[in-house]
Amino acid sequence: MRSRAMKKLWFITNPSSGSTTQAKCDAIEAVFAERGLDLIKRTIFPQDDLPTPAALDAVGVDTAVLFAGDGTINAAVAALAQWGGAILILPGGTMNLLAKTLHGDADAAAIIHAAHEGGETIALPIVQAGPHRALVGVILGPAASWVRARELVRGRRVRGLLRAVRHAWAKTFTRGIRLERVPAMHHRQQAIFVMPDQGALDLRGVDAREWRAILALGWDWLTGDWIASPAITQVHVTSFGIAGRKPTLALFDGEPVMLDPGVTISGGTTRKMFLQTKKEMA
């Protein structure tokens, strides 16, 4: 499905995400100008509220350009889920998994050039649980407690880091999390990585009963490359539940949420809203 003409843009950035410096934002805007694209408005999130579909339509925007990390992209996509325009994701986070899926290893300038020349609008698989959606993945289990330490590392804040690491370390050696309707993971896991996989789910369970495994898991989480953590069990399912009667901490694209007991986690897909340029640049 070919995208409509890319002419009027709304640029959404987050200065605290990955490598979205002001200099890089300025360079991206220079590429917009070089291509003759009309930059209608900028949103600096979370300082500014994310735009609504009505706000974009009111000024004739056809493409929202996201230059941010996974959490900001998730929030923006949720805000624009019912919008009829297209979304262009540029690599602005730590791992840039979505940008690589859509554009390969191309840099922001090459992606903009290719998208303007004619990208393909596609849907993406998601993980869904109640009102929550993840485009990259979900982390469940005691390992999710590393989120506080991760944010301190990202912000280069030393104060409180040791306390956060100690708390996460202690949590990681609790009883773990047990899933329902996943026979291959019958025992408790220290971490469950859930990734979308074409309407289904790719589950990777880490059973960190051995300290070296959990040390590697904690380091991978702090440095951002959590998908590279050692997976002891990997299965594919269409849906599953979490055993227990208490709310469960989960990280949806890195952002913490509490899941209610009994919630079903399943795979799904978005509408065709993401510009893909990888084929055009192959």
Side-chain angles (χ1 to χ4, degrees):
M1 176 180 175
R2 287 286 172 181
S3 63
R4 293 174 298 176
M6 179 174 156
K7 296 179 179 178
K8 295 187 176 182
L9 313 180
W10 193 302
F11 191 28
I12 301 173
T13 67
N14 183 337
S16 65
S17 296
S19 57
T20 56
T21 64
Q22 185 59 53
K24 290 185 177 181
C25 290
D26 292 343
I28 287 171
E29 292 185 19
V31 178
F32 294 159
E34 178 185 349
R35 299 295 305 192
L37 296 167
D38 191 358
L39 178 55
I40 302 298
K41 193 168 182 179
R42 305 167 185 83
T43 291
I44 301 175
F45 184 79
Q47 175 181 325
D48 302 327
D49 291 336
L50 289 168
T52 64
L56 272 65
D57 288 340
V59 290
V61 168
D62 54 72
T63 306
V65 181
L66 309 184
F67 183 51
D70 296 335
T72 300
I73 290 172
N74 187 308
V77 170
L80 301 177
Q82 304 305 316
W83 182 50
I87 292 177
L88 178 64
I89 294 176
L90 302 179
T94 303
M95 295 176 65
N96 299 313
L97 294 179
L98 285 174
K100 289 179 180 178
T101 296
L102 295 165
H103 315 296
D105 293 323
D107 62 19
I111 292 168
I112 295 166
H113 285 298
H116 189 213
E117 291 167 4
E120 180 184 13
T121 308
I122 68 167
L124 287 176
I126 57 172
V127 181
Q128 52 192 6
H132 308 293
R133 303 288 183 271
L135 292 157
V136 173
V138 176
I139 297 179
L140 300 167
S145 61
W146 285 88
V147 64
R148 173 60 179 164
R150 182 203 62 180
E151 292 306 313
L152 290 172
V153 169
R154 282 186 175 181
R156 298 181 179 178
R157 301 191 300 272
V158 177
R159 185 182 179 88
L161 178 59
L162 181 59
R163 185 184 303 111
V165 170
R166 285 175 174 171
H167 172 75
W169 182 271
K171 280 283 189 180
T172 303
F173 283 102
T174 60
R175 295 181 62 195
I177 189 169
R178 187 165 57 85
L179 304 184
E180 296 177 339
R181 305 191 299 278
V182 186
M185 295 184 184
H186 58 277
H187 56 269
R188 293 181 179 273
Q189 309 279 319
Q190 260 51 53
I192 302 289
F193 300 147
V194 187
M195 284 158 280
D197 186 17
Q198 301 304 319
L201 300 173
D202 177 351
L203 271 59
R204 303 184 188 187
V206 176
D207 182 10
R209 305 185 187 196
E210 197 251 340
W211 71 270
R212 290 183 184 85
I214 197 57
L215 183 61
L217 172 65
W219 177 254
D220 288 338
W221 176 229
L222 285 177
T223 55
D225 195 9
W226 55 268
I227 289 180
S229 295
I232 295 175
T233 305
Q234 181 178 8
V235 297
H236 289 80
V237 299
T238 56
S239 67
F240 67 94
I242 302 172
R245 299 180 179 179
K246 296 181 179 180
T248 300
L249 174 65
L251 303 178
F252 278 71
D253 289 347
E255 299 301 315
V257 302
M258 296 302 294
L259 295 180
D260 293 331
V263 67
T264 294
I265 300 175
S266 61
T269 57
T270 67
R271 67 174 181 82
K272 290 185 176 182
M273 62 193 301
F274 298 96
L275 281 171
Q276 176 180 262
T277 64
K278 189 161 53 178
K279 291 181 179 179
E280 278 68 23
M281 295 186 298

